[in-house]
Amino acid sequence: MIARSVGEMAKVGTERCPLRVAIIGAGPTGFYSADHLMKRSGLVVEIDMYDRLPTPFGLVRGGVAPDHQKIKTVTKAYDRIASKPHFRFFGNVEFGTDVTLELLRDYYHQILYCTGAQTDRDMGIPGEYLGGSHAATEFVAWYNGHPDYRDLKFDLSQERAAVIGVGNVAVDVCRILCRTPEELATSDIADYALEALSNSRVKEVYMIGRRGPAQAAFTNPEARELGEMEDADVFILPEEASLDPLTREYLEKSQDKSIIKKIEILEEFSRRGRSGKSRLLTLRFLASPVELVGNDDGKVVKIRLVKNALHVSGDGTLRPKSTEAFEDLDVGLVFRSVGYRGVALPGVPFHEKWGTINNVEGRVTTVDTNEPVVGEYTAGWIKRGPSGIIGTNKPDALETVNCMMEDLEKGRILEPLHPEVAAVQEMVEQRKPSSVSYEDWLRLDEIEVARGKELGRPRLKFTRVEDMLEALGKK
Ligand code: NAP
């Protein structure tokens, strides 16, 4: 970790001494960062991308809803990035166990963490962890065939379910609960999830927002889609769809077009009656869960809500404030969709409160003094928190790459003992003989697509690491 002198450093990033970068995490941000680095004029860079799974693409594979196939075509751009010279993928190699930070410092000038946000936030209410109450992030990972979550069980024999939160993840979960087996069968949903959801007895789903419709975090196309499901009606109580005076005042001033559109969509839902579809999705607003109530077996049977009113908070935003009015909803299944949270990486400074790697504009910094840690960077959700759409990570990655380039110029980089590409290959082969290359992944991809084709589906995913390795002849 010794910073070289500026004169000596000028050579790094050239044909004679390429800049060696390790990217941890093969999600969208990892690929956008690689792309920004490769496009940097005059820079010769060698990139190794690590992922703990044998499959790349992070939440595009494990998070984006299976009925949103079009969004997943973004991976074509990632394939193009991966096909460039000086790019390698080491899948099935976990940072912190298979390769450690100490070890990577011996091989790279710069290490960039793009590990996303892998867990969920707490709500901090009694009964939160009763049986039948699940983190939405786990349900999402389950139906998307993530190997770590494929064996989870969800009691879909329940007739009434609640989804807490009104972000796009909550919308995804509601849609997946309300879709027909035929609708789901045209997606790349995991085969076991397709079977379980085809036998689901869920008839009523509530999506619960603590603020009003104008403050709902979901985006307009996602809201509109809720009204277009084949066999599920959508409904909002007219009094909950209408605007409170503070929001009305705000909108009159701001004329925010996207919120005005959102209100129109939701008001239209409130005018709809039941059309005879088998399922009903009810959007609730201005209500916060205060407790999940369980039965003697420790299973959730009720969600207790307090009605909220909005008030202007110190920062000028409209926040919920509880009233004295309570309401109980009988539900046997709850999905807590109140946001993702980042997980700390071994040896990397972590901001516990925010659930992000401690950083300034992407430069990893120490927790105590906020001093930059030489050679370490971060981008994406693990840098800024779980916000924005896939494309938001492009400018975010650029900000970090700009810091990396500035530091390279100033000689603030690591001094690896083994800066040769062959040395890394040897090290990884020794430590993780079953690592997966990008060529391996492309073969796996082809097999999944071929398996899906036989069933008339976009792909049939492998959902166990062993099965992936076996298909690649690595077991
Ligand atoms: P999100 O957009 O931050 O939404 C979180 C929701 O949880 C908000 O409605 C929030 O309400 C609510 N919430 C937070 N704490 C709560 C509490 N204690 N009690 C009740 N409600 C609470 O997060 P997300 O849905 O997990 O999505 C993460 C990111 O991924 C977002 O940027 C999202 O747009 C993106 N995403 C995009 C798509 C897509 O483009 N189709 C799909 C999935 C995810 P408040 O607003 O009142 O805090």
Side-chain angles (χ1 to χ4, degrees):
M1 261 225 292
I2 311 150
R4 296 177 178 199
S5 74
V6 177
E8 212 184 326
M9 281 316 308
K11 294 179 211 137
V12 176
T14 59
E15 208 60 63
R16 261 189 55 221
C17 183
L19 176 73
R20 308 249 326 113
V21 177
I23 297 180
I24 315 298
T29 307
F31 281 96
Y32 293 135
S33 304
D35 196 36
H36 289 311
L37 283 165
M38 288 167 169
K39 283 183 175 152
R40 197 50 69 135
S41 87
L43 177 73
V44 182
V45 58
E46 291 168 348
I47 297 169
D48 291 336
M49 185 181 279
Y50 292 82
D51 202 287
R52 55 190 287 270
L53 289 180
T55 51
F57 308 149
L59 278 185
V60 175
R61 182 178 167 99
V64 170
D67 59 343
H68 280 174
Q69 287 299 306
K70 213 167 144 208
I71 296 182
K72 297 192 185 218
T73 56
V74 68
T75 60
K76 289 205 178 89
Y78 308 155
D79 284 341
R80 276 196 295 278
I81 295 165
S83 70
K84 301 250 172 79
H86 308 310
F87 177 96
R88 289 186 300 192
F89 174 60
F90 292 112
N92 200 28
V93 179
E94 185 165 23
F95 176 86
T97 53
D98 298 322
V99 291
T100 60
L101 173 54
E102 274 310 302
L103 189 74
L104 292 185
R105 281 183 178 137
D106 286 345
Y107 292 86
Y108 298 97
H109 298 106
Q110 294 181 325
I111 301 165
L112 168 57
Y113 307 108
C114 304
T115 48
Q118 294 161 32
T119 186
D120 61 298
R121 285 178 32 207
D122 295 328
M123 287 190 303
I125 59 168
E128 187 165 354
Y129 301 109
L130 283 170
S133 162
H134 308 274
T137 53
E138 292 185 352
F139 185 58
V140 169
W142 171 78
Y143 63 60
N144 274 317
H146 190 299
D148 292 353
Y149 298 89
R150 65 157 336 278
D151 294 319
L152 295 182
K153 297 277 176 265
F154 300 92
D155 181 6
L156 297 168
S157 70
Q158 297 296 327
E159 292 197 350
R160 291 151 74 90
V163 179
I164 301 169
V166 286
N168 279 332
V169 171
V171 171
D172 285 348
V173 168
C174 289
R175 256 195 354 268
I176 296 301
L177 287 170
C178 289
R179 289 272 192 215
T180 62
E182 294 71 28
E183 284 174 300
L184 293 174
T186 60
S187 78
D188 68 348
I189 194 166
D191 50 356
Y192 55 79
L194 177 58
E195 193 186 330
L197 286 159
S198 298
N199 295 318
S200 163
R201 295 178 58 197
V202 172
K203 281 204 173 72
E204 277 197 76
V205 179
Y206 299 98
M207 179 159 71
I208 302 168
R210 61 180 170 180
R211 295 189 284 160
Q215 292 81 31
F218 52 64
T219 37
N220 292 347
E222 279 65 26
R224 209 173 286 115
E225 213 181 344
L226 290 175
E228 295 163 355
M229 290 184 288
E230 219 164 79
D231 198 24
D233 284 321
V234 64
F235 181 65
I236 306 180
L237 293 168
E239 63 268 30
E240 290 188 7
S242 64
L243 295 182
D244 65 290
L246 287 175
T247 304
R248 201 176 291 280
E249 193 183 314
Y250 165 79
L251 278 181
E252 270 160 21
K253 271 194 216 139
S254 74
Q255 288 297 315
D256 186 322
K257 284 203 179 68
S258 127
I259 298 184
I260 291 169
K261 187 79 222 160
K262 184 174 292 182
I263 299 298
E264 278 170 22
I265 297 168
L266 298 179
E267 279 180 347
E268 191 269 317
F269 288 170
S270 76
R271 290 193 294 272
R272 289 190 190 185
R274 294 283 319 242
S275 72
K277 293 184 176 179
S278 334
R279 288 184 168 135
L280 177 65
L281 168 64
T282 304
L283 275 59
R284 297 294 311 269
F285 291 103
L286 289 167
S288 285
V290 284
E291 184 181 356
L292 302 189
V293 182
N295 62 13
D296 292 344
D297 298 332
K299 278 213 66 185
V300 65
V301 289
K302 232 187 249 301
I303 176 166
R304 182 153 298 152
L305 301 173
V306 64
K307 301 281 189 75
N308 294 327
L310 293 179
H311 73 108
V312 186
S313 69
D315 64 5
T317 57
L318 297 182
R319 303 302 308 166
K321 196 172 188 178
S322 38
T323 65
E324 300 288 310
F326 292 86
E327 178 185 349
D328 286 353
L329 290 178
D330 292 329
V331 289
L333 198 53
V334 172
F335 296 99
R336 309 180 306 267
S337 186
V338 297
Y340 283 77
R341 189 184 147 81
V343 175
L345 293 169
V348 182
F350 194 68
H351 195 296
E352 281 301 334
K353 191 168 167 222
W354 297 347
T356 55
I357 290 176
N358 217 59
N359 77 92
V360 176
E361 292 170 358
R363 278 188 185 93
V364 176
T365 53
T366 56
V367 173
D368 301 341
T369 59
N370 231 18
E371 289 297 309
V373 177
V374 174
E376 291 181 53
Y377 303 86
T378 181
W381 277 9
I382 194 65
K383 164 190 173 186
R384 70 173 192 276
S387 66
I389 56 171
I390 296 170
T392 314
N393 296 304
K394 235 185 223 186
D396 183 291
L398 181 59
E399 181 186 58
T400 300
V401 166
N402 285 341
C403 290
M404 293 166 76
M405 294 301 100
E406 208 178 292
D407 291 350
L408 169 64
E409 248 166 58
K410 292 189 175 146
R412 285 196 303 246
I413 57 170
L414 298 169
E415 195 172 271
L417 294 173
H418 314 289
E420 316 85 30
V421 280
V424 172
Q425 188 76 38
E426 210 171 287
M427 178 272 286
V428 173
E429 271 167 20
Q430 234 174 48
R431 298 183 67 93
K432 195 71 188 244
S434 59
S435 74
V436 166
S437 67
Y438 211 80
E439 291 68 36
D440 290 333
W441 153 246
L442 291 175
R443 269 201 295 144
L444 208 55
D445 180 43
E446 245 178 58
I447 301 171
E448 286 190 343
V449 171
R451 292 185 339 156
K453 205 169 174 192
E454 281 173 24
L455 302 166
R457 303 186 51 201
R459 76 170 60 234
L460 182 57
K461 284 180 178 176
F462 288 103
T463 60
R464 289 188 199 280
V465 171
E466 308 89 87
D467 295 345
M468 297 177 196
L469 297 180
E470 200 177 321
L472 291 171
K474 286 183 178 274
K475 245 193 105 197

